[in-house]
């Protein structure tokens, strides 16, 4: 069966990990620093902080920004749980603004309508690889002095156009921090892993401290445990815990894979774009099926495309999404639904009183969403199979 997503591991990837495995460091070693340096260099950004996973990246971003009780964080309902959960982790109130029906990303107009006096931050998610309207979102957030976190877990390596200039995701004026995930279904992988990118020196320092138990071994940062001779001695073993941090470290083995995958990222994105173009052509004339839309047509060759999410009018076809997915699977084609609107999840309903009607666009579009296979290792035969079986099933249903 062709899955909706899958990692691509080469012999070079395996060799790079094997070399790390036979080295002196398995974790918190030089390969971590090298991965961070190369990742930041690719974007032209000042800082890249590697962490255990994408959820840890979002959590640390909240902590570094000193978001907590009494603060509200606005995000999109069309995302994975972690984009909103990170606000709850720190005691803030996760809240939701609706999506625009074309890109399925956070709508700046809806953001402005949902804004409340206690809103401290916005988490803007680049759904399916398409960049959210970061300039539009920033215009609203900056007016209120709020911080902006771009959740770019779907958009690694992507770019976008604004006012005739092309900007890389992860290094532009409209986000304070950008987070990434390296889960196996993402465009590049470290198995599990994540990254936070920022150009702010203060935020970067906090992120590094909080990633490792709030502990520092840097003499320049020491405040001194005590004036006592015994406890105040700062020998080679000495360290200080200066904040309540977490063990969100990433290993050298993971970063070795990340370094190898980073070298393949451009090829990964190019292949994804090729497949998306073939899908778009093949599905253009299919009734009741709508291919992914672009908020800005100029981004057609800049988007990194993590997902190929179509909208199918299952009601018009007189079938259910479950029946459609089951029949596709029987024909060798996997699919997935991404995502259930987060504000409708039981915990969010029970904890914050959210419910239907809060985000009407997301709620109306959700029943039609279906993500088809999209990953670089797909062969031409795989792509042809997906096209043939989707078209055939649409005609038969």
């Amino acid at each position: 069966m062709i899955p909706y997503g899958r990692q691509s591991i080469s012999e070079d990837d395996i060799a790079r990990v094997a070399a790390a495995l036979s080295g002196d460091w398995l974790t918190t070693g030089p390969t971590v620093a090298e991965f961070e340096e190369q990742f930041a260099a690719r974007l032209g950004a000042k800082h890249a902080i590697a962490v255990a996973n994408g959820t840890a990246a979002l959590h640390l971003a909240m902590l570094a920004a000193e978001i907590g009780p009494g603060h509200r964080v606005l995000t999109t309902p069309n995302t994975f749980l972690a984009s909103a959960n990170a606000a709850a982790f720190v005691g803030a109130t996760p809240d939701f603004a609706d999506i625009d029906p074309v890109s399925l990303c956070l709508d700046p107009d809806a953001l402005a309508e949902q804004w409340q006096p206690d809103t401290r931050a916005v988490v803007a998610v680049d759904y399916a690889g398409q960049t959210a309207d970061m300039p539009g979102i920033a215009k609203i957030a900056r007016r209120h002095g709020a911080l902006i976190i771009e959740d770019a877990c779907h958009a690694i390596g992507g770019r976008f156009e604004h006012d005739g200039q092309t900007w890389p995701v992860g290094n532009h004026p409209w986000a304070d921090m950008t987070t990434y995930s390296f889960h196996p279904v993402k465009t590049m992988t470290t198995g599990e892993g994540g990254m936070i990118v920022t150009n702010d020196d203060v935020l970067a320092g906090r992120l590094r401290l909080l990633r490792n138990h709030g502990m520092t071994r840097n003499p320049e940062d020491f405040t001194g445990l005590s004036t006592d001779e015994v406890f105040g001695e700062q020998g080679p073993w000495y360290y200080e815990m200066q904040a309540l941090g977490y063990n969100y470290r990433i290993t050298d083995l993971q970063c070795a894979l990340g370094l190898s995958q980073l070298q393949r990222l451009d090829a990964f994105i190019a292949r994804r774009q090729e497949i998306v173009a073939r899908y778009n052509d093949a599905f253009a004339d299919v009734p009741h099926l709508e291919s992914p839309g672009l908020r800005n047509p100029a981004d057609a060759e800049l988007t990194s495309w993590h997902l190929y999410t179509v909208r199918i009018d299952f009601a018009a076809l007189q079938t259910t999404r479950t029946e459609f997915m089951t029949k596709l699977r029987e024909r060798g084609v996997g699919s997935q639904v991404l995502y259930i609107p987060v504000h409708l999840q039981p915990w969010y309903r029970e904890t914050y009183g959210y419910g239907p009607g809060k985000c009407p666009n997301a709620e109306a579009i959700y029943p039609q969403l279906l993500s088809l296979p999209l990953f670089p290792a797909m062969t031409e035969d795989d792509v042809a199979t997906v096209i043939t079986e989707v078209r055939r099933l649409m005609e038969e249903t």
Side-chain angles (χ1 to χ4, degrees):
M1 190 195 70
I2 304 168
Y4 91 93
R6 183 166 56 197
Q7 71 275 10
S8 174
I9 302 297
S10 69
E11 291 300 320
D12 287 343
D13 293 337
I14 294 170
R16 189 68 187 257
V17 174
L21 187 60
S22 62
D24 293 330
W25 294 82
L26 295 184
T27 189
T28 61
T31 309
V32 176
E34 184 182 358
F35 183 40
E36 292 175 331
E37 289 166 5
Q38 290 199 21
F39 199 93
R42 179 187 171 93
L43 298 175
K46 290 183 69 175
H47 305 283
I49 298 90
V51 295
N53 51 63
T55 301
L58 287 162
H59 186 194
L60 288 176
M62 294 285 169
L63 291 167
E66 299 181 326
I67 295 167
H71 299 149
R72 184 175 303 271
V73 177
L74 282 168
T75 190
T76 168
N78 187 35
T79 185
F80 183 60
L81 305 169
S83 305
N85 288 354
F89 293 163
V90 297
T93 299
D95 203 349
F96 302 89
D98 210 354
I99 62 175
D100 94 68
V102 177
S103 70
L104 310 185
C105 294
L106 185 63
D107 182 359
D109 291 336
L111 182 70
E113 291 175 5
Q114 289 292 325
W115 202 275
Q116 297 189 42
D118 60 351
T119 303
R120 175 69 180 273
V122 176
V123 177
V125 179
D126 299 330
Y127 177 74
Q130 184 172 175
T131 312
D133 184 357
M134 297 306 300
I137 290 166
K139 183 178 180 180
I140 297 160
R142 301 290 190 225
R143 186 166 66 236
H144 296 281
L147 183 123
I148 303 167
I149 299 167
E150 183 174 10
D151 180 340
C153 291
H154 288 192
I156 187 169
R159 296 173 293 153
F160 65 97
E161 186 273 341
H162 179 69
D163 284 346
Q165 184 171 349
T166 299
W167 298 88
V169 173
N171 187 18
H172 54 75
W174 303 289
D176 299 288
M177 289 177 277
T178 302
T179 65
Y180 297 91
S181 167
F182 304 129
H183 184 275
V185 298
K186 298 300 193 297
T187 303
M188 61 169 278
T189 186
T190 59
E192 286 280 6
M195 190 76 79
I196 312 149
V197 173
T198 183
N199 288 319
D200 186 303
D201 295 341
V202 174
L203 288 174
R206 291 177 187 160
L207 289 165
R208 291 193 175 97
L209 184 72
L210 294 166
R211 167 181 65 177
N212 187 22
H213 302 283
M215 183 181 75
T216 181
R217 294 183 183 274
N218 184 2
E220 295 178 0
D221 297 328
F222 291 162
T223 61
L225 289 176
S226 168
T227 57
D228 181 272
E229 275 189 18
V230 175
F231 291 102
E233 184 180 0
Q234 297 178 1
W237 69 87
Y238 187 81
Y239 60 88
E240 291 183 3
M241 176 183 159
Q242 298 180 342
L244 182 60
Y246 295 81
N247 181 359
Y248 280 163
R249 299 186 301 254
I250 192 171
T251 69
D252 282 57
L253 303 181
Q254 291 168 291
C255 290
L257 178 57
L259 281 164
S260 184
Q261 291 260 306
L262 193 61
Q263 294 177 349
R264 305 173 64 200
L265 182 56
D266 288 336
F268 287 158
I269 293 171
R271 179 57 179 156
R272 287 175 177 271
Q273 290 172 337
E274 288 174 1
I275 296 169
V276 167
R278 282 198 60 189
Y279 281 166
N280 287 344
D281 288 344
F283 299 139
D285 63 343
V286 178
H288 307 303
L289 186 154
E290 183 179 332
S291 293
L294 280 168
R295 175 182 54 81
N296 182 2
D299 291 343
E301 297 181 359
L302 304 175
T303 300
S304 54
W305 293 117
H306 166 55
L307 300 172
Y308 189 80
T309 301
V310 297
R311 292 173 61 177
I312 297 176
D313 189 344
F314 296 104
L317 295 174
Q318 297 184 327
T319 189
T320 68
R321 182 163 49 187
T322 300
E323 291 171 345
F324 193 92
M325 293 175 72
T326 300
K327 289 178 180 178
L328 264 187
R329 186 178 182 88
E330 291 170 350
R331 299 171 187 218
V333 177
S335 59
Q336 186 58 280
V337 177
L338 303 155
Y339 297 99
I340 300 170
V342 180
H343 69 288
L344 298 182
Q345 291 288 349
W347 187 82
Y348 278 91
R349 293 191 190 212
E350 295 165 6
T351 306
Y352 303 104
Y354 301 144
K358 182 174 178 61
C359 298
N361 284 343
E363 293 165 26
I365 292 169
Y366 160 70
Q368 301 178 341
L369 297 182
L370 189 67
S371 293
L372 300 177
L374 178 61
F375 53 95
M378 290 182 73
T379 66
E380 291 303 304
D381 285 345
D382 289 337
V383 177
T385 296
V386 174
I387 291 170
T388 298
E389 297 304 335
V390 170
R391 287 185 61 94
R392 183 178 296 162
L393 185 55
M394 291 292 293
E395 291 169 1
E396 294 173 0
T397 302

